[in-house]
Amino acid sequence: MPASRPSHLALALLCCGGALFALSLADAARLRQQRADSGREMQALVRQLQLTDLCLFTEARYARHPSQADLHSAFQDHPLALEHFPSGSLLLPPANLSGHHERLDREAEVPD
Amino acid sequence: MNAWIEKQKYLIDFTLASLARRKAKSLGLLLVYSLIVFLLASVMLFTHALRHAANEFLAGAPEIVLQRMVAGRHDLIPPGYLERIGRLRGVQEKQGRLWGYYYDPVVKANYTFMVADDRPLAPGKLVVGAGLARTRGVAPGNLISFRAYSGKLFTFSIADILPAKSELVSADLVLLSEADFRAFFDIPPGHYTDITLRVANPLEVRNIAGKLAQQFPDSRPILREEILRTYDSIFSWREGIVLALATLALLAFAILAWEKASGLSADERREIGILKAIGWETGDVLRMKFWEGALLSLSAFLLGYLAAYVHVFHFAASFLSPVLKGWAVLYPRFELSPVIDGLQVTTLFFFTVFPYAAATLVPIWRTAITDPDAVLRG
């Protein structure tokens, strides 16, 4: 059987791909360990400064702190201005605007 | 068993020879297929790692943030609120936060000004985020001027720069003393932007939030779990840009698979006819074509996925960053910690490899069961 049979080559290449896939998992573990320091640093900063959001989108204030925004902030500039910041198409309204306050009110007991 | 393996190897040999005859088409298909997997896998790996990072970093955020609303808008907390909260049982620590936004017309970027209570700063001194320092080109010891909303010019000296490793949470931060903050934004003493509360017992958080909503009807309590949920949904598979990208990629893939499924080329049909005429069984033809689909889709999956992994975790997802940057001038440089979700990778595998293999088998089977004479003439 010739050594350079196409099927052998193809299977060897697929095995190489599989090995690289496994290697990517090992590399992920290595990188996680390597980048753990910056993670700890960020955790400490969040705790120290009492931060609430990631600094992902700085173009608009409701995108900079999505968890602190209110429903109207996307339309703040003009009553007829539709959302015009690109990150507005990436972000959803914060989870806390979907009716939780109402529910909290109902759950709350009237103080004595 | 050995004979079976040998037979499969011969079938693969034949398949590869057949693919090599249509080199340009096969390579083109592999390239497009790999690109679709690359795009989907990049978005998937990036968003999963980002969601994981948000959950990990923001776990230290305050349990409750209390905002005051006036006419549906966020307003300053007036004096007296903090003292009244003090009587709520279960609240371990409460603090008025002072923070706000400042638009810097020099570089056309938004900054977050904040008072760090745990990091006392002398009046006139600033600590800035690494992203801001890079954008404005400042270093410790430099002077920086900002024109306040009142029109008055304030000059500060940079005392320090926050670590570059923490840019994902601090790129645009400007930390200053309370006196400077109040003078700059003209906020009278006793007023705060919002109030943060630390609650020792996690089971108590919702209860306390309910009491706060009752006691301060003009307030809006934001719980940490809501913050985390906000970040969980921002880059969720089901929502926003991810859905748009995934839909486009799947649509492109569906067209690819449809092209295969809707019929074979005349060459392929003739090939099958000849194979049948020289004695190949329907099963052999199907097996040969199965190997063709399997080799192509597996190679495309591995190529696309590995390229996506390197792109996201070794090249900081450089193709995706223009989408995330939008119009922002100030954008953090960050390296995400790789978190790979086995279920997501498996889903991607099933969505990309199996439909293609199935789509190719059906028309082959239809051709393979017809009379070779009809196939060759037809």
Side-chain angles (χ1 to χ4, degrees):
Chain A
M1 186 193 302
S4 59
R5 238 174 99 172
S7 59
H8 287 183
L9 196 69
L11 291 176
L13 280 174
L14 272 185
C15 286
C16 272
L20 282 173
F21 180 81
L23 202 68
S24 77
L25 297 179
D27 183 60
R30 181 186 67 87
L31 282 181
R32 259 201 309 277
Q33 209 154 20
Q34 207 176 62
R35 293 174 185 173
D37 271 354
S38 53
R40 274 191 288 273
E41 207 155 328
M42 278 190 262
Q43 273 174 336
L45 204 66
V46 165
R47 193 167 280 280
Q48 187 198 350
L49 300 177
Q50 312 211 55
L51 303 177
T52 51
D53 290 85
L54 295 186
C55 179
L56 271 179
F57 312 104
T58 55
E59 55 187 0
R61 66 169 195 241
Y62 54 90
R64 169 64 180 91
H65 290 95
S67 74
Q68 309 293 300
D70 60 68
L71 263 181
H72 314 287
S73 49
F75 307 99
Q76 63 197 316
D77 297 322
H78 187 270
L80 293 175
L82 293 175
E83 169 54 31
H84 61 271
F85 283 106
S87 53
S89 57
L90 298 178
L91 285 167
L92 290 174
N96 52 332
L97 292 181
S98 48
H100 270 281
H101 313 298
E102 212 184 338
R103 209 157 72 211
L104 279 177
D105 284 349
R106 272 188 239 130
E107 281 173 11
E109 285 173 21
V110 182
D112 301 325
Chain B
M1 189 63 187
N2 268 348
W4 184 85
I5 294 174
E6 254 337 281
K7 190 177 175 185
Q8 303 309 313
K9 281 205 235 166
Y10 280 117
L11 283 172
I12 295 173
D13 281 344
F14 188 87
T15 303
L16 290 171
S18 157
L19 283 173
R21 274 199 299 277
R22 295 170 271 135
K23 207 174 276 171
K25 197 184 168 194
S26 309
L27 279 179
L29 193 63
L30 182 68
L31 191 73
V32 172
Y33 200 163
S34 306
L35 268 176
I36 292 172
V37 177
F38 169 77
L39 184 69
L40 276 175
S42 290
V43 173
M44 186 193 81
L45 289 173
F46 182 76
T47 53
H48 187 68
L50 201 58
R51 271 209 308 275
H52 191 267
N55 268 319
E56 190 185 332
F57 304 150
L58 297 177
E63 275 85 3
I64 301 174
V65 177
L66 191 76
Q67 289 182 344
R68 183 172 170 244
M69 307 297 284
V70 172
R73 295 293 182 110
H74 181 193
D75 204 53
L76 290 179
I77 300 276
Y81 262 53
L82 259 177
E83 292 71 27
R84 280 165 65 196
I85 293 172
R87 289 197 289 270
L88 274 181
R89 205 180 305 156
V91 176
Q92 197 181 31
E93 199 184 312
K94 59 184 182 348
Q95 204 169 16
R97 276 198 316 172
L98 280 169
W99 64 278
Y101 300 103
Y102 176 76
Y103 175 70
D104 186 1
V106 177
V107 288
K108 297 186 173 62
N110 283 309
Y111 304 150
T112 303
F113 276 49
M114 187 172 241
V115 175
D117 290 309
D118 289 355
R119 193 172 180 154
L121 281 166
K125 297 277 182 194
L126 295 184
V127 173
V128 297
L132 189 154
R134 189 174 54 243
T135 312
R136 270 297 289 251
V138 291
N142 288 170
L143 294 178
I144 190 167
S145 297
F146 298 118
R147 188 173 293 279
Y149 294 118
S150 60
K152 210 174 140 198
L153 197 68
F154 286 75
T155 303
F156 299 99
S157 137
I158 308 283
D160 200 5
I161 290 170
L162 290 168
K165 279 180 179 174
S166 68
E167 272 196 52
L168 190 52
V169 293
S170 70
D172 71 334
L173 284 187
V174 176
L175 305 180
L176 67 173
S177 70
E178 185 176 339
D180 281 344
F181 185 92
R182 288 190 188 281
F184 189 78
F185 289 108
D186 208 8
I187 293 178
H191 285 74
Y192 293 98
T193 312
D194 51 27
I195 295 172
T196 58
L197 300 162
R198 293 273 175 197
V199 181
N201 182 0
L203 298 172
E204 278 282 300
V205 174
R206 290 191 67 80
N207 197 16
I208 290 173
K211 283 182 188 167
L212 284 170
Q214 192 80 41
Q215 194 175 341
F216 304 98
D218 60 345
S219 74
R220 185 170 76 131
I222 298 166
L223 310 187
R224 185 170 64 196
E225 60 177 87
E226 289 169 342
I227 294 175
L228 296 179
R229 219 170 41 240
T230 296
Y231 278 89
D232 213 41
S233 65
I234 283 181
F235 297 111
S236 169
W237 261 98
R238 293 167 286 115
E239 280 128 5
I241 194 82
V242 185
L243 179 73
L245 276 177
T247 314
L248 281 180
L250 285 175
L251 205 66
F253 188 73
I255 292 169
L256 196 77
W258 174 255
E259 195 268 330
K260 281 296 234 179
S262 59
L264 301 167
S265 67
D267 275 357
E268 281 174 302
R269 216 189 292 271
R270 208 180 56 220
E271 187 187 356
I272 293 169
I274 292 170
L275 291 176
K276 290 276 300 213
I278 58 169
W280 279 46
E281 288 171 14
T282 306
D284 291 335
V285 176
L286 282 179
R287 254 172 246 131
M288 190 263 284
K289 286 291 173 182
F290 162 78
W291 279 117
E292 186 183 312
L295 286 174
L296 198 74
S297 51
L298 263 176
S299 314
F301 176 79
L302 285 170
L303 272 174
Y305 175 82
L306 290 170
Y309 175 83
V310 173
H311 164 235
V312 172
F313 298 118
H314 288 279
F315 290 97
S318 44
F319 290 146
L320 294 179
S321 54
V323 181
L324 288 174
K325 270 181 196 165
W327 295 352
V329 174
L330 209 158
Y331 191 71
R333 282 184 189 159
F334 57 92
E335 284 177 322
L336 287 170
S337 216
V339 187
I340 293 157
D341 182 4
L343 185 71
Q344 276 195 342
V345 177
T346 317
T347 312
L348 185 73
F349 181 81
F350 273 91
F351 267 104
T352 49
V353 171
F354 279 81
Y356 182 79
T360 50
L361 277 183
V362 175
I364 306 283
W365 174 74
R366 279 214 320 255
T367 312
I369 54 167
T370 45
D371 184 42
D373 182 47
V375 173
L376 282 169
R377 282 174 199 278

